[in-house]
Amino acid sequence: MVSADPQPFLTMQGIVKVFPGARALDGVDLEIVPGEVHCLLGQNGAGKSTLIKVLAGAHQPTEGRILLDGEPITIADPVAALRHGVATMYQELDVVDGLTVAENVFLGHELATLGFSQRREAVRRTRELLRRLGHPEVSPRQEVGALSAAGKQIVSMARALSHDARVIVMDEPSAVLDSEEVANLFRVVRELTSAGVAVVYISHRLEEIREIGNRITVLKDGRTVAHNLPVSGTPTTELIRLMTGRSVEYAFPPSSGPGPEAPVVLDVQGLSLRGVFRDVGLEVRAGEIVGLAGLVGSGRSEILETVYGARRPSAGVVRVDGRRLRPGSVAAAVGVGIGLAPEERKSQGLLLDEPVYRNVTLSTFARFARGGLLDERAERAAAQEQAISLHLRPPGVDRPIRTLSGGNQQKAMLARWLVHGCRVLLLDEPTRGVDVGARAEIYALVRRLADAGAAVVVVSSEIPEVLGLADRVLVVSEGRVVHEGPAESIDEHQVLDMVMEGSVA
Amino acid sequence: MNEQKLSADARQAGPGAAGPPGGEHKDTARRVGIPSGTAGRNLGLIVALVALAVVGCVTAGSRFASLDNLMVILSLASVIGVVSIGMTFVITGGGIDLSVGSVLGLASVWATTLATQTMADQYGWVVMAVCALAVGLGAGLVNGVLVAYGRVVAFIATLATMVAARGLAELIANRRTQIVDVDSFTDTFRGDLLGVPKIVWIFVAVAVAGWFLLNRTTFGRRTVAVGGNPEAARLAGIKVRRHTMYLYALAGLAAGIAGVMMLARTTAGSSTNGTLYELDAIAAVVVGGTLLAGGRGTIVGTVLGVLIFATLTNLFIQNNLDSSVQAVAKGAIIIVAVLLQQRLTARSTTG
Ligand SMILES: Nc1ncnc2c1ncn2[C@@H]1O[C@H](COP(=O)(O)OP(=O)(O)OP(=O)(O)O)[C@@H](O)[C@H]1O
Ligand SMILES: [Mg+2]
């Protein structure tokens, strides 16, 4: 795909970006040649998103130059970026819930003649884009708010494709996608690159980089530590060492599993949610990690949310330590020690303008309080302790959580339930957007919690993660549990087969 | 040496700073964090207030710059101030309450009916005060139930209460002004304490209590959470609906207290009491820096906002200026304040 001696058409040189209190970029270089997939690697908070926001015109660089076809350019705003042929899919989904799919795709560059919007044309072109993305079933006239996170990601992708771009920047597009969706995404990426479009691809999943990438630039602490490494020929261990500055054990912690005597903590029977899933049974013992595998949209997240009381089941009971929970009451669930780390942290989990520590103690501040009086000192201390043990970067807990990188926001979400201390921990995509090093830490942590007697349920789109982390696996397809068994006795392909079969049947 | 220190600091606060957090880092976070923003906004309001005072001194001289006039301004600010404190909570919690002015009127009427006053003659002023507070609380609870459990949009639910409460007040009062002639009531609430009108003391007490409630208690934390991201609050185990109901009840209670203060100031219950106070309160709250979208609220800002409007009104009166001009000036202040607010928030979020 990449020609013999390709010349970069887009170059970023010595980019520095200073935020009040943080030097996010400290001299970064990036060279992009036509038709390549250029991977941007780096730990959480390394500055990847900041760099691409500079390229997208969303941030102005403090220092540095951007050259397009050898000419220095300034990218004053996102419109200018698009004019220069740079289209961006942001890490945090940026779709408008109240608008339709087609309206979102053409947001900001509406098709219009003489001021009359050409809705039908927009719908037609959107349908075409969705078909290209492998999603003819999504209707252009549907409201985006009703779509799942993956659906929104697809809309965001369609928007990027709707521009005549020379380079499309994708900031962790696969984080909300399951393996089938990722395959779709890669097909589109290959189409783009063979047409000469360059793709800048950010992901924490190194196996994806192997599959799709041509060259790699690695960022660390806001600096470029390696340029234009060829993907083939750079071992994974080397990449990890470049990113983290150390070698990380990229492995799952050994499972001790629940003892034979371990009591059942979470007991779910006949749980149904009309139109989404039916008759789900689930028993989790103290010390056990149960994984739910399945496609996005199979009802996995809804199962967790229903167990948690965030949705009212149409049938079924949930018991914790033998006590039956009031259905549809989160407060009751939290009261008996269930914690949920939701899938969409921004809309479901965080108070973006509040400091980190208040986000961490959102479900526990009342416990720290005495007679209704807050004890912020104790809250800070508890949050700080978790921040250190989770290697939150930057580790200060007083800054607004908005200013943390995506992966670090995810860690803060986990910290909330660590402070809470849970009998039952429900984790929906716990490592979404989390870097290699922190992933290993999170795995170890979840195992430690289980060993300390918690019952853990994990939902993940990454099947290897489910299989590696869990003691027992439930495969969910089309709202039904189609398989249940020990994690060792099944492999990724079998899970995929079951998932697909279920969705065909 | 100095430079070295600076760069070390930057690295500490910078991305990927490994190692334990230093005290240095905490400082950096403080400097860029929320507190400085709030302090900055309040400083702006104080500057505006001082500017108004200077204008007053220059244009109206000793008529404006006297202790008596200061007390007039403070009395003027007190009633609307208490209403605004309640409104601050509702708005911070992501809602709006258009009914507070009417509820104030209804409370003032109900507390001065013949029946209530006869009872008050017998058992003391407490009867009237409790009556006004109960009316306020009751109306607030109705709002709260409608919004939180009935899922009626706050704007509509409280608009309905606003209309209905005013109508009910007219029915009860029969469109007549009801003079307060319970001596124990007037003795208790009228006049000065330590040279300051008693209703000003009530405002001070309510403001201090409100500040404490919003900033130092779990109730306040819940308010910010519910206003900032109701779904996140719900998933964290906060009873969002119940809390929302409490917020409207609180605003109603504040309107009831303001009703008592109104009776003290005017010695008359009338169905026209508190007309348009809801708009003045919303203006003061927003100018003060509370986010209309919810999730951030400031009692100090609200108090300053109320004082700014009260001073402005007084300034116009002292200069014998048309009240229409005053309305235009008020409008301008609201726009300027909101524009400034947007600038500030835009800067703090995009960096
Ligand atoms: N608006 C802001 N104000 C202050 N600091 C910020 C702001 N935005 C980002 N930062 C800081 O800049 C650094 C880089 O953040 P960035 O989001 O670019 O990381 P990232 O490499 O994309 O990480 P992730 O993999 O977690 O998404 C982080 O330390 C972050 O806290
Ligand atoms: Mg990022």
Side-chain angles (χ1 to χ4, degrees), chain B residues 50 101 136 153 191 220 252 268 321:
Chain B
V50 169
V153 179
L321 287 174

Side-chain angles (χ1 to χ4, degrees), chain B residues 1 21 28 33 37 40 50 59 71 91 136 147 159 161 182 188-189 193 201 211 272 279 296 314 326-327 329 339 342:
Chain B
M1 173 64 218
T28 334
V50 169
T59 58
M71 292 310 152
I91 292 182
V147 173
L159 184 70
T161 310
V182 176
T188 312
F189 291 104
L193 185 70
W201 285 116
W211 182 88
T272 58
L279 296 187
R296 191 182 70 211
N314 181 263
Q326 179 192 332
L339 284 178
Q342 280 173 352

Side-chain angles (χ1 to χ4, degrees), chain A residues 48-50 91 171-172 202 405-406:
Chain A
K48 305 178 297 293
S49 298
T50 307
Q91 177 173 17
D171 195 352
E172 298 192 34
I202 300 178
S405 75

Side-chain angles (χ1 to χ4, degrees), chain A residues 17 19-25 44-47 58-59 221-223 305 308-311 330-331 334 340 342 345-351 353-355 357-358 361-363 365-366 369 372-374 376 379-380 384 388 392-400 402-403 416-417, chain B residues 7 9-22 25-35 212-239 241 291 294-297 345 347-351:
Chain A
K17 175 68 191 175
F19 289 114
R23 207 172 168 86
L25 298 177
N44 294 134
H59 284 328
D221 298 355
R223 297 207 183 84
E305 287 173 10
Y308 190 58
R311 293 166 184 263
V330 173
V334 172
L340 168 77
R345 60 175 171 256
K346 232 180 176 178
S347 61
Q348 299 183 298
L350 299 176
L351 300 169
D353 290 322
E354 290 287 291
Y357 78 90
R358 288 192 192 165
T361 57
L362 190 61
S363 60
F365 63 83
L373 290 192
L374 296 169
E376 303 215 88
E379 286 181 45
R380 263 202 200 90
Q384 189 68 70
I388 291 168
L392 194 75
R393 287 181 208 96
V397 294
D398 280 312
R399 55 174 59 225
R402 180 190 289 288
T403 66
R416 177 182 299 167
W417 297 113
Chain B
S7 73
D9 199 344
R11 226 178 310 128
Q12 262 287 328
H25 171 74
K26 208 165 180 180
D27 272 7
T28 334
R30 278 272 168 69
R31 234 182 293 132
V32 300
I34 288 172
F212 194 78
L213 190 61
L214 187 60
N215 295 298
R216 288 284 181 269
T217 68
T218 54
F219 186 90
R221 181 70 67 76
R222 284 189 196 108
T223 305
V224 172
V226 166
N229 187 342
E231 178 68 1
R234 190 174 79 99
L235 289 182
I238 293 172
K239 293 180 175 131
R241 282 200 233 165
L291 269 193
R296 191 182 70 211
T345 37
R347 197 173 311 153
S348 75
T349 52
T350 60

Side-chain angles (χ1 to χ4, degrees), chain B residues 179-200:
Chain B
I179 304 294
V180 177
D181 55 5
V182 176
D183 292 338
S184 66
F185 184 88
T186 38
D187 290 347
T188 312
F189 291 104
R190 281 180 73 79
D192 295 355
L193 185 70
L194 305 176
V196 175
K198 286 177 183 164
I199 59 168
V200 175

Side-chain angles (χ1 to χ4, degrees), chain A residues 355-362 364 368 375-392 394-399 401 404 411-420, chain B residues 21 26 221:
Chain A
V356 172
Y357 78 90
R358 288 192 192 165
N359 275 284
V360 170
T361 57
L362 190 61
T364 43
F368 287 105
D375 185 348
E376 303 215 88
R377 184 193 298 252
E379 286 181 45
R380 263 202 200 90
Q384 189 68 70
E385 192 186 323
Q386 296 303 334
I388 291 168
S389 80
L390 288 172
H391 297 282
L392 194 75
V397 294
D398 280 312
R399 55 174 59 225
I401 201 156
L404 293 192
K411 289 190 206 168
M413 271 308 309
L414 283 179
R416 177 182 299 167
W417 297 113
L418 296 182
V419 171
H420 192 272
Chain B
K26 208 165 180 180
R221 181 70 67 76

